[in-house]
Amino acid sequence: MMPTDEKRPLVDSRRQFLKRSGLVTAAAAVTGTLSLDRSAHAAGSDVIKVGLIGCGGRGTGAGLNALNAGEDVRLVAMADLLEDRVKLKRKMLADRKGEQVAVDDAHCFVGFDAYKEVLAADIDVAIIAVTSHFHPVMLQAAIEAGKHVFCEKPHSLDPVGLKTVATTCEKAKQKGLSVVSGFMNRYNLAVRETVKRIHDGAIGDVVAIQETYATPPYHVHQRNPNWSEMEWQLLNWYHFNWLAGDQVLQQLIHSIDKAAYVLDDKPPKQAWGVGGRAACFGPSYGDLFDHQSIIYEYDNNVRVFGICSNQIGVHQQMSDEVLGTKGHASLLQGRIRGETNWDYDGPRPNPYDQEHVELFESIRSGKPINNGQYMVGSTMLAILGQMVCHTGKRLTWNEVVNSEYSVAQERYGWDAEPPVKPNADGSYDIAIPGVTRFV
C-alpha cells in the first residue's frame, strides 16, 4: 500500500456497499431474458463464436475448457502481448480441437490494445485470462461490446477497480449477458453438494474455517539481459504486486472463496494478519511476500483462518476444513464427519470444464448466469487479506471497501515506466508490516 497520513471517512456499511454495487442478492446465478437474436442463436442453429484474450498458460487452458463445452463452440479470434505466443497457442489448440479452432492470421491480434480488436470481431463470448492487472478494464469493455464473458480471477487488484467490476456485472444483467468467474470451485460438484449439506445443518453451526494453500513459488523466471524493465516485469508478472497482487490474490483467493461460499458470501467485520519474506530472495521474486497468515473475524465470533506460503522445500498443503458444533467438513474431499457421516459419491467433472459447460448452456438456453456477487465479494476478501499483511494492521471491511488504493497506470506500453523499480543489486523493496501504511 502506498504511504499516507490521510485518514479517510468510513461512509458505507458492508451491506450498503453490496447494495450500492447491485450485488446484495444471495443467488450466485441470476437468470434473465436474452434478446431475440441471441435467443435464436442459442437454439442451436449456429455456432457460438469465442474470442480468447490472453494466450498464456491459464488463457490457453480456459480456451481449451471453452472448446470442451460443446462441438458448437468455435474459437475465432485470439489476442496477446506477444505475437509468437498467439501463433504457438493457436497451433496447440488446433492440434487438440481440430476444426473448432478457426482463427485465421487476420484474427490474431497483438499488443496492449489487442483485446479491443477481439471485442470488435464477430464473437459471442470473450474469454479474459490475462495479467490480472487488466481484468477490470477488459471485463468492462467486453460487456459494453455486448459479449458474454468468462473472466479469470482475481477480478481486480484494488478496491477502485473492484467497484468498476461491480458496476459492469450489473450492466451485464441489464443486457442479458452471462458473466462467469474463474472461481472454479463454485462449479466443483463435490464442493457444491458439501456446502449445500453444511447449509442444511449437517455440521451444526459453523464455528471456524481453516483454508490452506501452501505450494512452491509460482512460475519463477530468470531475466533476459536484453529485456527492458517493463518487459521483465510483464513477463514475470506473477511476482509483482501491481500486476498480480500477491499469492493471497492469486492462490489463497480460491480457498477463501470457498470459505465465503460456506458463509453465504457475508463479509467479515474485520481482519488482521502477518506476512513477510523468509526464504525466497532475489530479483526473480519481485516485491512479493513468500508467506501470509490471515484471520478474518465475522459476526457471532466465527473465524476464517487463511494460510498461504510459496517456499521451496517446506510442507505443502491445499485444504479447507469447516468446523461446526456437530461435526466438520472437508470441501474438496466432499466429506462430512461428526453426528452425520457422509462422503460424496456423485460425478466429478473437471470444474475448469464445468464452469464453461454451464456458461455455454446459459447462452444456448437464453437464461444468462451472473457470478458478479461473489466475483466482487471474494476478490475484496483477498484485497483485505493482502492489505492487513502488508500493513500489519487490523482493518475493517468498510475501511478497505472505501480505500482509494489503485494500481492503475496513466499509460501502458513496452516503453512505459513501471511503478516499481529495482535497487542497485536488482532486488525490489517489499512491504514492511508496521511501516507500510494503509491508503
Side-chain angles (χ1 to χ4, degrees):
M1 308 310 108
M2 296 185 65
T4 181
D5 289 320
E6 183 180 357
K7 293 185 178 179
R8 307 189 184 283
L10 306 183
V11 179
D12 290 354
S13 70
R14 292 172 288 155
R15 178 170 294 276
Q16 285 172 332
F17 167 70
L18 294 175
K19 186 174 182 180
R20 184 187 63 188
S21 303
L23 302 176
V24 73
T25 61
V30 180
T31 60
T33 303
L34 292 175
S35 61
L36 289 176
D37 56 337
R38 288 191 179 276
S39 297
H41 171 85
S45 61
D46 200 357
V47 299
I48 303 175
K49 298 176 183 179
V50 175
L52 176 60
I53 302 172
C55 299
R58 181 73 278 269
T60 306
L64 181 60
N65 299 138
L67 296 173
N68 288 342
E71 293 184 0
D72 59 342
V73 180
R74 297 287 185 276
L75 179 63
V76 299
M78 300 173 68
D80 196 85
L81 285 177
L82 304 175
E83 182 177 7
D84 290 349
R85 186 162 15 183
V86 175
K87 300 292 180 65
L88 174 64
K89 297 307 176 67
R90 178 179 64 172
K91 182 180 185 305
M92 289 176 60
L93 289 169
D95 288 345
R96 293 284 299 274
K97 303 303 292 186
E99 293 182 357
Q100 283 186 264
V101 178
V103 187
D104 58 25
D105 288 344
H107 289 86
C108 291
F109 304 112
V110 178
F112 286 88
D113 288 333
Y115 74 97
K116 297 178 182 178
E117 296 179 275
V118 169
L119 296 177
D122 181 20
I123 65 169
D124 304 295
V125 182
I127 296 175
I128 301 171
V130 297
T131 301
S132 303
H133 178 99
F134 301 102
H135 284 168
V137 170
M138 293 184 181
L139 174 62
Q140 181 182 43
I143 295 303
E144 288 178 351
K147 314 302 182 184
H148 302 283
V149 179
F150 169 82
C151 186
E152 254 305 336
K153 58 78 209 158
H155 300 296
S156 178
L157 305 181
D158 58 58
V160 174
L162 198 53
K163 289 172 184 173
T164 297
V165 171
T167 300
T168 297
C169 289
E170 280 301 301
K171 288 182 179 178
K173 290 181 187 178
Q174 296 164 12
K175 290 187 171 188
L177 297 169
S178 285
V179 180
V180 168
S181 164
F183 287 125
M184 83 293 179
N185 288 298
R186 303 278 182 145
Y187 293 85
N188 183 317
L189 301 190
V191 171
R192 276 184 178 173
E193 182 61 25
T194 308
V195 171
K196 179 181 181 300
R197 289 170 181 264
I198 293 171
H199 288 169
D200 289 342
I203 64 170
D205 295 331
V206 174
V207 175
I209 305 174
Q210 178 180 314
E211 294 291 355
T212 307
Y213 206 123
T215 66
Y218 202 52
H219 290 309
V220 179
H221 300 287
Q222 295 300 314
R223 181 169 184 167
N224 184 323
N226 296 321
W227 290 342
S228 69
E229 183 62 29
M230 180 62 88
E231 287 176 307
W232 161 239
Q233 292 193 23
L234 283 169
L235 294 171
N236 192 40
W237 65 272
Y238 279 111
H239 297 276
F240 290 93
N241 279 298
W242 76 280
L243 291 169
D246 59 9
Q247 297 316 311
V248 175
L249 277 149
Q250 287 297 326
Q251 294 180 312
L252 185 64
I253 191 171
H254 277 303
S255 302
I256 56 180
D257 173 61
K258 284 176 279 185
Y261 191 13
V262 170
L263 297 175
D264 289 316
D265 292 304
K266 296 176 182 176
K269 295 184 297 183
Q270 57 200 10
W272 65 281
V274 296
R277 182 180 289 184
C280 298
F281 300 96
S284 292
Y285 296 102
D287 63 349
L288 300 194
F289 286 176
D290 62 14
H291 64 280
Q292 297 100 334
S293 295
I294 307 156
I295 299 96
Y296 295 96
E297 300 175 344
Y298 288 78
D299 292 330
N300 301 322
N301 292 318
V302 173
R303 297 289 186 270
V304 171
F305 303 93
I307 303 165
C308 181
S309 72
N310 294 97
Q311 300 173 348
I312 300 170
V314 302
H315 174 68
Q316 298 177 23
Q317 181 176 328
M318 290 177 59
S319 64
D320 20 67
E321 299 296 326
V322 185
L323 308 180
T325 54
K326 297 180 180 179
H328 69 277
S330 300
L331 299 183
L332 288 176
Q333 287 71 29
R335 183 175 64 234
I336 292 174
R337 294 292 182 270
E339 289 189 9
T340 297
N341 293 315
W342 170 82
D343 292 276
Y344 178 77
D345 60 359
R348 288 182 180 266
N350 181 343
Y352 288 97
D353 279 345
Q354 185 65 23
E355 57 191 350
H356 288 269
V357 167
E358 297 188 27
L359 167 61
F360 285 95
E361 182 54 35
S362 77
I363 296 169
R364 297 184 192 101
S365 67
K367 297 179 180 179
I369 55 178
N370 189 308
N371 296 160
Q373 181 194 9
Y374 65 77
M375 288 171 69
V376 172
S378 293
T379 301
M380 186 63 77
L381 278 175
I383 293 171
L384 171 60
Q386 182 191 43
M387 286 186 171
V388 298
C389 288
H390 278 191
T391 64
K393 305 296 184 182
R394 173 185 269 170
L395 298 173
T396 69
W397 175 267
N398 289 340
E399 286 177 299
V400 176
V401 163
N402 289 291
S403 168
E404 295 181 9
Y405 173 63
S406 173
V407 297
Q409 302 298 299
E410 291 185 2
R411 189 175 73 86
Y412 298 95
W414 293 114
D415 61 339
E417 289 294 321
V420 176
K421 302 293 180 61
N423 297 314
D425 62 356
S427 66
Y428 297 85
D429 291 336
I430 66 173
I432 303 175
V435 175
T436 298
R437 295 177 181 173
F438 170 70
V439 61

